[in-house]
Amino acid sequence: MHYQVDSKWLKDHLVDRNVRIIDCTYKLGEPEAGRAQYEQAHIPGAVYFDLEKDLSGAVETHGGRHPLPKQDQLKKKLEESGICNDTILIAYDSKEGAYASRFWWLLKYLGHEKVYILNGGFQAWKNAGYPVEHEIPKYDKADFVISVNKDILASYEDVKDIVLNGDQDTELIDSREQKRYLGIEEPIDRIAGHIPTAINKPWMEGLENGFFKSKTEQENRFADIAKNKPIIVYCGSGVTATPNYIALKKAGYSNVRLYAGSYSDWVSYEENPVKKENAGS
C-alpha cells in the first residue's frame, strides 16, 4: 500500500483534473503564518487547509488542544474545494510531515481511500525546481459523502481502560520527543509526564529531512512490538502522532488507532494519573 507520492509524480499529474493538491502549511505558535506562506507561494492548483480552522474543532474543557473537526464543517470545506469521493488527494506541508499527515488521517477517518502525502513536502518540490504560484484557485462545488472508519480512532474511554485495567494486549505509544515523555520538560500542557503504560517512539524518528523512512527502517523502529499487537498512538494533541500512525502502517501493523485527544485530553481530567521519569504515577 502506498502512502506517499514524490514530487516528480505530482509534477507529471498537475494537469490531471481528478487530482487535488492540499496545502497544510502551518507553524505552531504563529496561527496566521501558514496561510500567509500559502498566499505567497504554493504548488499550482493547491487549496489551503488550516490546522486550527479546518482540521480541528473548537477547544473545549475536554477533547485536547486540537480536537477533531465537526464532520459537517470538514465536509463543507472539502466540497467547496471541488473534492468528491473519487478525487485523488495529495497533501503537503513545509516538510515537517505532521500537518499533511493530520489531513491524511482525517480523510482516512472519513472513509476516503485516495489520499497521499507529498514526500519531502513543499521544500522537496522547490528543491526540484518545480513551479509555484500565488493565485488562489477556485473549483466548482462537489459532493463528498462521509463513511466514517471508526476502526482507526481510539476514544478516551479506550485509553482509560488500558491504564486502569493494565491491558497487556494493546500497546500505547507516546509519539512526543523523549524529554516530554519523561516529564523533564512540558512547554504546553498542564502537567509533565506521560500516560501510564505508554512506551516512547518519537514521531520525528520516522522521517529524515522531511521524507518518510523506508518500510525496512520503520520496521526496525518498531521491532520490539509484535506485528499482530493492537496499537494506539498519541502525542500532545493528536497531530504529530499521525506520522507515527503512517509509519506503523508502512511497517506492516494492521491494527493501529489514533487517540485524537492525546495527552492534552488525558490531563484535562485532573484525577488521571501521569507517569514521570524515576517517579510513580
Side-chain angles (χ1 to χ4, degrees):
M1 190 174 181
H2 295 293
Y3 298 93
Q4 303 102 30
V5 299
D6 60 24
S7 294
K8 185 179 186 314
W9 184 95
L10 185 55
K11 180 182 174 289
D12 291 345
H13 290 81
L14 271 185
V15 294
D16 189 335
R17 292 170 62 86
N18 203 36
V19 170
R20 185 72 70 251
I21 306 163
I22 312 296
D23 187 318
C24 303
T25 305
Y26 192 79
K27 200 167 182 183
L28 284 174
E30 294 181 46
E32 301 305 319
R35 173 94 205 182
Q37 205 169 313
Y38 165 78
E39 289 176 355
Q40 189 180 344
H42 53 260
I43 295 174
V47 290
Y48 185 69
F49 276 64
D50 185 282
L51 172 67
E52 298 199 334
K53 292 173 184 164
D54 303 313
L55 305 179
S56 306
V59 176
E60 296 174 3
T61 307
H62 303 299
R65 273 181 283 110
H66 291 109
L68 297 185
K70 295 275 189 291
Q71 287 176 25
D72 55 353
Q73 165 201 341
L74 187 50
K75 173 182 159 80
K76 183 171 183 278
K77 171 78 175 182
L78 291 164
E79 292 181 337
E80 286 171 351
S81 304
I83 293 165
C84 69
N85 296 77
D86 290 326
T87 309
I88 297 167
L89 300 174
I90 313 296
Y92 73 89
D93 49 32
S94 294
K95 74 167 188 179
E96 307 84 1
Y99 308 116
S101 295
R102 167 77 167 205
F103 177 88
W104 179 95
W105 185 92
L106 274 170
L107 269 289
K108 288 286 185 185
Y109 180 63
L110 297 185
H112 194 81
E113 285 304 311
K114 300 172 183 176
V115 56
Y116 306 89
I117 289 170
L118 177 63
N119 214 4
F122 193 44
Q123 191 63 52
W125 178 267
K126 289 190 293 186
N127 288 348
Y130 293 150
V132 299
E133 66 179 21
H134 63 266
E135 289 86 1
I136 310 298
K138 285 274 188 290
Y139 294 105
D140 292 337
K141 193 172 181 294
D143 289 317
F144 187 90
V145 180
I146 290 174
S147 178
V148 172
N149 179 7
K150 292 179 180 169
D151 293 343
I152 68 172
L153 178 67
S155 68
Y156 165 71
E157 289 73 23
D158 292 332
V159 175
K160 189 149 190 175
D161 188 52
I162 291 167
V163 174
L164 295 184
N165 298 324
D167 178 358
Q168 298 296 310
D169 295 332
T170 304
E171 193 75 76
L172 196 55
I173 295 180
D174 187 314
S175 305
R176 298 170 303 163
E177 58 185 324
Q178 191 184 44
K179 56 191 174 185
R180 289 184 72 190
Y181 168 79
L182 294 173
I184 296 168
E185 190 179 286
E186 183 45 64
I188 310 167
D189 290 312
R190 185 179 67 81
I191 183 170
H194 61 267
I195 301 174
T197 78
I199 62 169
N200 187 214
K201 300 283 182 184
W203 71 276
M204 324 67 109
E205 293 174 4
L207 293 99
E208 191 165 351
N209 199 29
F211 291 86
F212 276 85
K213 291 181 178 176
S214 69
K215 180 182 192 294
T216 304
E217 288 171 306
Q218 304 292 7
E219 284 180 318
N220 291 338
R221 287 181 65 216
F222 302 113
D224 52 337
I225 306 170
K227 283 276 176 77
N228 59 353
K229 197 165 195 183
I231 296 169
I232 295 174
V233 292
Y234 76 87
C235 54
S237 67
V239 177
T240 57
T242 54
N244 251 358
Y245 178 97
I246 292 170
L248 283 155
K249 297 295 283 185
K250 199 169 179 177
Y253 293 84
S254 56
N255 189 348
V256 187
R257 291 181 289 161
L258 170 72
Y259 171 27
S262 284
Y263 188 72
S264 55
D265 178 49
W266 181 258
V267 297
S268 70
Y269 299 87
E270 296 207 6
E271 71 275 15
N272 279 345
V274 299
K275 199 167 183 186
K276 297 184 186 179
E277 183 189 27
N278 303 324
S281 55

